[in-house]
Amino acid sequence: MPTAAAELQPRYFRDLECDAESVLQALRRDFKAESGAIRIEFRGAHAQVSVCPEDSRWWSPWLTFEVIEEEGHAHIEGRFGSKPAFFTMWMAALALSLICTFGAAIFGYSQYVAEQSPMAGIVAFGIGTVLCFALAGLPLLGQGRARTQMRKINDALEDCYRVVECEDH
């Protein structure tokens, strides 16, 4: 389950008594039937779990995890993250605001050196700084809104794990 503390990418981990191949087979077989609003894709021992497009919002989480075999037991380790399209847009907006803030600082300094009022540069720098901090906090806001969807993903996975543990014992 995701950690309680706010992180940009909360961790997801689970240890199971059965082998990794049994876990992967159970996930491929049982996950689709139980959770219509959540989808899962596999690439070998890697899985990516996301919310279906109909229920997806900008804050909807993606879970990427790997099933690893350790001493005959399955160890699952992954991270929750934002949708790749949103992450790319967020990074572009953050980079643009940082560049504009840097440009505003240079403009304000050049006005100061030219013995003019640097007020326009100071105001632009202040706005840019506030924008940078707002953009930096946006993923944490989204994570808070995504908590119920993260819980649904976790619960669907837990149901599959229970099935594989019952088959094993």
Side-chain angles (χ1 to χ4, degrees):
M1 184 57 209
T3 57
E7 297 180 64
L8 288 179
Q9 291 189 324
R11 292 187 183 113
Y12 177 84
F13 51 91
R14 184 81 155 81
D15 289 315
L16 299 171
E17 295 297 320
C18 52
D19 63 301
E21 191 57 38
S22 299
V23 173
L24 287 168
Q25 286 175 356
L27 286 172
R28 285 186 177 105
R29 182 186 64 231
D30 299 329
F31 190 83
K32 294 175 188 170
E34 296 177 13
S35 50
I38 300 168
R39 66 181 185 186
I40 189 167
E41 296 176 25
F42 293 95
R43 305 280 187 280
H46 299 275
Q48 180 174 319
V49 185
S50 60
V51 178
C52 285
E54 301 84 39
D55 297 327
S56 183
R57 305 291 180 260
W58 67 267
W59 62 80
S60 294
W62 284 45
L63 171 63
T64 304
F65 66 87
E66 181 177 12
V67 181
I68 305 164
E69 183 83 26
E70 288 184 353
E71 300 174 4
H73 300 292
H75 176 71
I76 300 170
E77 191 171 313
R79 288 193 174 267
F80 278 98
S82 59
K83 295 190 290 188
F86 175 76
F87 181 75
T88 303
M89 186 222 29
W90 175 75
M91 287 299 292
L94 186 59
L96 182 62
S97 66
L98 287 170
I99 290 168
C100 290
T101 302
F102 183 69
I106 291 173
F107 177 65
Y109 181 72
S110 67
Q111 283 183 318
Y112 175 75
V113 169
E115 296 180 356
Q116 295 179 358
S117 172
M119 190 52 68
I122 292 171
V123 169
F125 180 77
I127 291 171
T129 302
V130 168
L131 183 61
C132 287
F133 280 111
L135 283 170
L138 194 59
L140 298 176
L141 172 70
Q143 181 183 339
R145 296 194 70 166
R147 194 162 301 283
T148 57
Q149 290 179 336
M150 290 167 74
R151 175 102 33 223
K152 283 181 185 178
I153 289 172
N154 184 68
D155 291 346
L157 290 170
E158 287 295 324
D159 290 343
C160 289
Y161 301 150
R162 279 200 262 317
V163 168
V164 77
E165 284 178 343
C166 288
E167 290 173 356
D168 245 17
H169 298 295

